[in-house]
């Protein structure tokens, strides 16, 4: 996994948007699609969120300033995702940013949810409920919705579920077939 730490001097020398650069000072920066994908999943899980809550595609760069909690994820192009578990469509801009802490992502940019006919910016998501089994999404006007965390399964885990289920069914069939063979042998022995 490729990573490097940006020092204050490097960020100041970079010029450009100083506030953007100042936010990223001292960040752990990850580049490359596979490394960014793994890093973003690790970050979500370390915060307590399910891996499927931010299904970004074609990640090029991720960064995390652990001191301030500032994170960013940059993908090749904007991405739109439909969450079957909630029946909502969400659009992720080419760059998504937030400030993170345990169980919460706040001051989010680059995430919008389609509500009726409008794209509503999502500015915060947090774990909710006694068991932290719900995720509350808050819009920029303070209105929000809560969904079960189980509605955001990790796609890798979700893809593995049918395979795992088939393997379990096959194993059960084999065990039952073994029992049937044993019963037939017992019946044949009893008839002799």
């Amino acid at each position: 996994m490729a990573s490097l730490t940006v020092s204050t001097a490097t960020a100041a020398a970079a010029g450009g948007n100083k506030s953007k650069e100042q936010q990223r000072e001292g960040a752990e920066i990850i580049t490359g699609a596979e490394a960014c994908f793994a890093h973003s999943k690790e970050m979500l899980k370390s915060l307590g969120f399910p891996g499927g809550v931010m299904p970004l595609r074609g990640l090029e760069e991720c960064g995390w300033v652990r001191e301030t909690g500032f994170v960013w994820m940059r993908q090749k192009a904007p991405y739109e995702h439909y969450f079957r578990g909630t029946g909502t469509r969400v659009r992720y801009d080419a760059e998504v940013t937030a400030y993170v802490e345990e169980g919460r992502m706040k001051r989010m940019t680059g995430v919008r949810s389609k509500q009726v006919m409008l794209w509503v910016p999502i500015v915060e998501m947090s774990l909710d409920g006694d068991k932290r089994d719900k995720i509350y999404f808050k819009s920029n006007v303070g209105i929000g919705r809560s969904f079960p965390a189980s509605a955001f399964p990790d796609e890798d885990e979700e893809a593995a579920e049918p395979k795992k289920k088939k393997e379990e069914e096959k194993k059960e069939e084999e065990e039952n077939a073994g029992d049937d063979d044993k019963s037939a042998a017992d019946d044949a022995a009893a008839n002799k």
Side-chain angles (χ1 to χ4, degrees):
M1 183 186 317
S3 71
L4 69 108
T5 303
V6 178
S7 69
T8 306
T10 305
N17 184 348
K18 293 197 189 296
S19 66
K20 185 177 180 179
E21 293 301 322
Q22 287 172 346
Q23 284 179 316
R24 298 171 190 227
E25 286 180 8
E28 174 186 332
I29 300 174
I30 311 296
T31 57
E34 287 181 28
C36 284
F37 184 74
H39 181 265
S40 65
K41 292 246 182 186
E42 175 191 322
M43 180 198 63
L44 286 170
K45 288 186 180 184
S46 72
L47 297 171
F49 291 100
V53 76
M54 296 275 283
L56 301 175
R57 298 285 180 263
L59 288 169
E60 295 179 325
E61 180 182 279
C62 294
W64 190 353
V65 183
R66 292 185 191 265
E67 218 173 80
T68 63
F70 180 73
V71 297
W72 72 91
M73 293 166 267
R74 189 171 356 149
Q75 38 187 3
K76 291 179 184 176
Y79 173 68
E80 205 170 286
H81 185 81
Y82 180 75
F83 289 98
R84 289 183 304 226
T86 63
T88 56
R89 184 167 297 284
V90 178
R91 180 179 295 159
Y92 300 94
D93 291 346
E95 185 169 277
V96 173
T97 67
Y99 283 87
V100 300
E101 57 191 53
E102 175 65 33
R104 188 172 176 206
M105 294 181 91
K106 58 187 179 180
R107 295 172 51 191
M108 295 171 65
T109 66
V111 181
R112 293 184 300 258
S113 174
K114 190 161 193 176
Q115 301 297 317
V116 188
M117 301 293 284
L118 299 172
W119 286 98
V120 178
I122 302 299
V123 296
E124 186 174 315
M125 69 179 189
S126 56
L127 294 174
D128 201 12
D130 295 337
K131 298 179 185 174
R132 298 172 60 123
D133 57 349
K134 294 180 182 178
I135 302 175
Y136 179 74
F137 297 89
K138 184 174 158 184
S139 71
N140 60 345
V141 293
I143 298 171
R145 290 181 73 185
S146 188
F147 296 102
S150 60
F152 305 95
D154 187 321
E155 289 179 354
D156 295 338
E157 293 169 9
E158 191 175 54
E161 265 314 300
K163 184 178 178 182
K164 185 178 177 182
K165 190 173 183 177
K166 281 184 181 181
E167 288 174 0
E168 288 173 359
E169 287 172 356
K170 185 177 178 180
K171 185 177 178 182
E172 189 175 308
E173 284 176 13
E174 288 172 357
E175 288 174 359
N176 289 339
D179 290 345
D180 290 344
D181 291 343
K182 184 178 177 187
S183 294
D186 290 343
D187 288 345
N191 287 336
K192 284 187 178 183

